[in-house]
């Protein structure tokens, strides 16, 4: 199958979050399975210098954007057999510090920057010589391409237009702009209505994709249901209308990177039959972070963006209660909301021998924390897929998660199925429920046989990309005529 993806970020070229990892890994896996894959992405500042092997293509893009005519160059780089990355070079839009903005805020011209990108995606789907059969769009930045393709297909007679799939990575981010922004698309205004691209008088990029894509996916089966019920951030009604086109496919894990052996970030390799070597990682981390070096003290951890979504505000009172009453340690690695950063610093000051709060982003340390910890806490309010719980399963850190989205789809609690249990789940979005879950973890910790059973099960769980890639291929197939 011939697939062109479009994403505003792609690992290893650009990244602010899980989107980049997902697109990079899915493209790589589809190409490995023998398919032809292109990935379109903006040429941000510094990418060309970091990847000098890329070549300029003999293809100039000239597209209207409202009243202006915008020109762009196109670069390409073959990264593997069957996988080519295409970069849109438009220095005015993309040659700047930051992808969506800087610490001072988001860029004021993001509508123009990404509507132009979406237009490029539709243009290349039509003009690349290899004629993609599927155009796979990711998130609001690429979503309006679904409307552009739909228009050219049904009103301008584009006979062999590709099927268009939009993947919703997090419905909270929609690209919602003022109504006049719709003019940048240079399309008839009769698309701008409540059943189309309009949303409360504004132009909503994600909604344009939801309405006009042939296929919709999101990153876990449970999140696919939740966004039609109460977690759709205003899109519930439209997603219910499109329910027949919507599929939830769990993201995979890149096990070439997230592994417990031959991992440059880990001094002490381990596996499910050498759990004693996991203990050595715990002792090393306690030493590294300045915690009392005690193998017998249960170690809890979180590695996360400190954002409302992640529910870390609920964790604070739950930890206060549990740390005061029990022998346990807690390590946080995270950054984001300054008030939460400060609250975790204060917690560490109140429990100097029990809590370490590392404020910042540190990929190597995140591996060491996963390898060292006994339990991994994810009390998310909502979680489209979540990756850390899958990493922690592989690293023998038992996940404690709220029953939502991809967390529910990837972790099994004792009450769900004792024969497959690999973690602890709680339902209620409240600190006492979370404290209870931690209490349950302490009981598991006290029963070494059970602890090791859950660990081994978690380490054996397989969330490799191949399985998810096959699910994408299944839905990409044209319906039988
Ligand atoms: P989201 O994409 O919503 O942030 P995920 O769980 O899907 O949540 O993915 C988060 C990714 O970012 C994981 O790979 C996690 O290890 C990493 N991460 C988050 N915060 C940090 C941090 N402070 N330091 C290192 N890695 C982090």
């Amino acid at each position: 199958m011939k697939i062109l993806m479009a994403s505003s970020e792609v690992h290893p070229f650009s990244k602010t979050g899980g989107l980049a990892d997902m697109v990079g890994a899915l493209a790589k896996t589809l190409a490995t399975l023998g398919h032809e894959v292109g990935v379109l992405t903006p040429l941000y500042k510094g990418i060309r210098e970091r990847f000098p092997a890329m070549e300029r293509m003999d293809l100039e893009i000239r597209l209207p954007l409202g009243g202006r005519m915008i020109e762009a160059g196109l670069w390409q780089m073959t990264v593997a057999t069957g996988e080519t990355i295409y970069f849109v070079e438009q220095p005015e839009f993309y040659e700047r510090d930051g992808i969506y903005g800087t610490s001072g805020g988001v860029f004021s011209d993001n509508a123009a920057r990404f509507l132009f990108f979406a237009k490029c995606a539709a243009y290349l789907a039509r003009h690349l010589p290899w004629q993609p059969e599927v155009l796979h769009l990711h998130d609001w930045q690429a979503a309006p391409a679904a409307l552009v393709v739909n228009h050219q297909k049904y009103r301008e007679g584009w006979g062999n237009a590709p099927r268009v799939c939009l993947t919703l990575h997090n419905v909270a981010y929609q690209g919602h702009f003022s109504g006049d922004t719709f003019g940048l698309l240079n399309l008839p205004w009769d698309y701008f209505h409540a059943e189309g691209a309009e949303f409360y008088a504004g132009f909503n990029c994600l909604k344009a994709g939801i309405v006009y894509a042939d296929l919709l996916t999101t990153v876990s089966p449970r999140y696919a249901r939740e966004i039609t019920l109460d977690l759709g951030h205003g899109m519930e009604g439209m997603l219910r209308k499109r329910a027949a086109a919507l599929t939830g496919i769990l993201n995979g894990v890149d096990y070439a990177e997230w592994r417990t052996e031959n991992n440059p970030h880990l001094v002490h390799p381990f596996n499910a039959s050498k759990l004693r070597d996991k203990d050595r990682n715990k002792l090393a981390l306690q030493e590294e972070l300045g915690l009392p070096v005690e193998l017998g003290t249960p170690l809890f951890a979180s590695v996360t963006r400190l954002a409302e979504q992640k529910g870390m505000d609920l964790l604070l009172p739950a930890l206060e209660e549990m740390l005061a009453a029990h022998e346990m340690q807690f390590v946080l690695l995270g950054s984001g909301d300054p008030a939460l950063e400060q609250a975790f610093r204060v917690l560490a000051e109140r429990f100097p021998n029990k809590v370490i709060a590392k404020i910042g982003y540190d990929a190597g340390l995140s591996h060491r924390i996963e390898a060292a910890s006994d339990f991994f806490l994810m009390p998310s309010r909502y979680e489209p897929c979540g990756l850390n719980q899958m990493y922690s399963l592989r690293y023998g850190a038992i996940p404690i998660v709220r029953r939502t989205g991809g967390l529910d789809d990837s972790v099994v609690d004792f009450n769900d199925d004792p024969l497959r249990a690999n973690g602890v789940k709680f339902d209620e979005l409240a600190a006492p429920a979370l404290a209870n879950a931690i209490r349950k973890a302490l009981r598991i910790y006290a029963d070494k046989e059970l602890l090791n059973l859950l660990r081994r099960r978690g380490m054996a769980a397989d969330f490799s990309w191949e399985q998810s890639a096959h699910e994408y291929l299944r839905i990409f197939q044209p319906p039988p005529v």
Side-chain angles (χ1 to χ4, degrees):
M1 197 171 260
K2 295 184 287 184
I3 302 150
L4 177 65
M5 296 193 189
S7 173
S8 56
E9 42 186 288
V10 184
H11 177 75
F13 305 99
S14 51
K15 173 170 171 171
T16 69
L19 167 66
D21 289 338
M22 185 279 192
V23 172
L26 178 60
K28 183 167 84 176
T29 311
L30 289 169
T32 310
L33 292 172
H35 301 277
E36 185 162 355
V37 187
V39 184
L40 182 71
T41 195
L43 186 66
Y44 297 113
K45 189 174 176 180
I47 297 182
R48 246 180 71 200
E49 291 70 26
R50 283 191 292 124
F51 297 91
M54 70 173 65
E55 292 169 356
R56 201 186 161 101
M57 289 174 73
D58 206 11
L59 203 156
E60 296 293 328
I61 300 176
R62 245 183 130 249
L63 292 168
L65 190 70
R68 294 175 65 192
M69 189 57 84
I70 308 285
E71 297 184 0
L74 199 64
W75 293 70
Q76 69 174 351
M77 184 170 156
T78 303
V79 289
T81 309
E83 186 189 355
T84 305
I85 312 293
Y86 298 96
F87 299 92
V88 182
E89 181 186 31
Q90 214 303 325
E92 179 196 332
F93 286 157
Y94 308 128
E95 182 78 20
R96 46 176 100 166
D97 293 326
I99 293 182
Y100 308 118
T102 60
S103 51
V106 295
F107 296 130
S108 60
D109 58 349
N110 273 349
R113 296 172 75 226
F114 292 110
L115 284 173
F116 180 71
F117 175 63
K119 283 188 165 191
C120 289
Y123 179 85
L124 287 175
R126 191 162 187 171
H127 295 284
L128 278 174
W130 52 274
Q131 295 209 337
E133 297 157 275
V134 175
L135 176 62
H136 187 181
L137 308 171
H138 296 268
D139 276 354
W140 72 262
Q141 294 86 351
L147 171 53
V148 179
V149 172
N150 186 285
H151 175 76
Q152 295 184 10
K153 184 173 170 184
Y154 293 110
R155 296 206 194 169
E156 294 184 346
W158 177 6
N160 60 345
R163 283 158 68 65
V164 176
C165 175
L166 170 65
T167 294
L168 311 164
H169 293 260
N170 188 336
V171 182
Y173 301 91
Q174 301 183 351
H176 185 80
F177 302 103
S178 63
D180 58 341
T181 310
F182 181 77
L184 294 178
L185 276 178
N186 306 82
L187 289 175
W189 279 87
D190 60 5
Y191 290 110
F192 192 72
H193 57 86
E195 300 295 307
E198 186 235 5
F199 188 62
Y200 291 102
F203 169 46
N204 188 298
C205 293
L206 194 70
K207 188 176 174 210
I210 291 172
V211 174
Y212 294 103
D214 300 302
L215 306 162
L216 299 171
T217 74
T218 186
V219 290
S220 71
R222 176 157 173 159
Y223 190 61
R225 292 193 298 280
E226 290 170 340
I227 55 178
T228 65
L229 300 175
D230 57 348
L231 293 180
H233 295 267
M235 293 294 134
E236 291 87 352
M238 191 45 77
L239 286 163
R240 274 200 295 277
K241 283 193 187 142
R242 303 248 33 220
L246 174 63
T247 313
I249 302 174
L250 202 64
N251 281 342
V253 170
D254 184 352
Y255 287 123
E257 185 169 340
W258 288 92
R259 58 187 184 191
T260 57
E261 292 176 302
N262 295 318
N263 180 334
H265 299 301
L266 302 182
V267 183
H268 305 293
F270 65 104
N271 62 41
S273 53
K274 284 197 290 178
L275 279 177
R276 233 181 253 139
D277 290 340
K278 179 174 165 71
D279 294 343
R280 300 172 69 193
N281 287 283
K282 179 171 172 179
L283 298 173
L285 186 81
Q286 288 171 326
E287 169 114 38
E288 175 185 342
L289 298 181
L291 280 169
V293 181
E294 294 164 357
L295 190 56
T297 304
L299 176 62
F300 293 73
S302 283
V303 178
T304 184
R305 287 187 290 123
L306 293 175
E308 212 221 342
Q309 177 198 339
K310 302 294 179 182
M312 299 301 279
D313 51 326
L314 300 176
L315 187 56
L316 282 160
L319 281 174
E320 281 271 351
E321 177 188 341
M322 298 305 291
L323 287 159
H326 300 277
E327 270 312 304
M328 57 181 278
Q329 296 176 342
F330 172 72
V331 171
L332 168 85
L333 170 61
S335 61
D337 178 355
L340 280 173
E341 291 181 353
Q342 184 55 18
F344 277 99
R345 281 198 196 98
V346 169
L347 187 79
E349 279 162 22
R350 284 180 31 74
F351 297 98
N353 285 321
K354 291 183 165 182
V355 176
I356 295 289
K358 282 272 176 197
I359 305 302
Y361 189 98
D362 184 337
L365 182 57
S366 75
H367 284 259
R368 295 198 293 284
I369 290 175
E370 295 271 13
S373 52
D374 299 301
F375 297 97
F376 197 90
L377 287 154
M378 294 181 77
S380 303
R381 288 193 158 73
Y382 70 94
E383 194 61 78
C385 176
L387 290 170
N388 270 315
Q389 80 281 11
M390 300 197 254
Y391 302 155
S392 74
L393 285 169
R394 179 50 60 105
Y395 279 53
I398 295 171
I400 302 174
V401 303
R402 188 153 168 268
R403 195 183 289 277
T404 182
L407 299 177
D408 193 31
D409 287 330
S410 52
V411 176
V412 185
D413 185 89
F414 229 83
N415 290 335
D416 299 338
D417 183 349
L419 296 180
R420 292 194 310 124
N422 58 18
V424 176
K425 280 196 233 180
F426 65 98
D427 290 77
E428 211 192 331
L429 188 60
L434 185 42
N436 255 340
I438 296 175
R439 229 169 262 125
K440 205 164 155 184
L442 291 175
R443 285 199 295 275
I444 293 171
Y445 191 79
D447 180 345
K448 286 288 171 283
E449 217 169 294
L450 179 59
L451 178 74
N452 285 335
L453 176 72
L454 294 186
R455 271 186 182 156
R456 286 207 182 89
R457 275 205 199 126
M459 293 179 82
D462 184 5
F463 297 102
S464 54
W465 260 107
E466 197 162 308
Q467 201 181 323
S468 308
H470 278 296
E471 287 189 57
Y472 278 98
L473 288 168
R474 187 178 55 76
I475 64 153
F476 285 167
Q477 295 296 334
V481 272

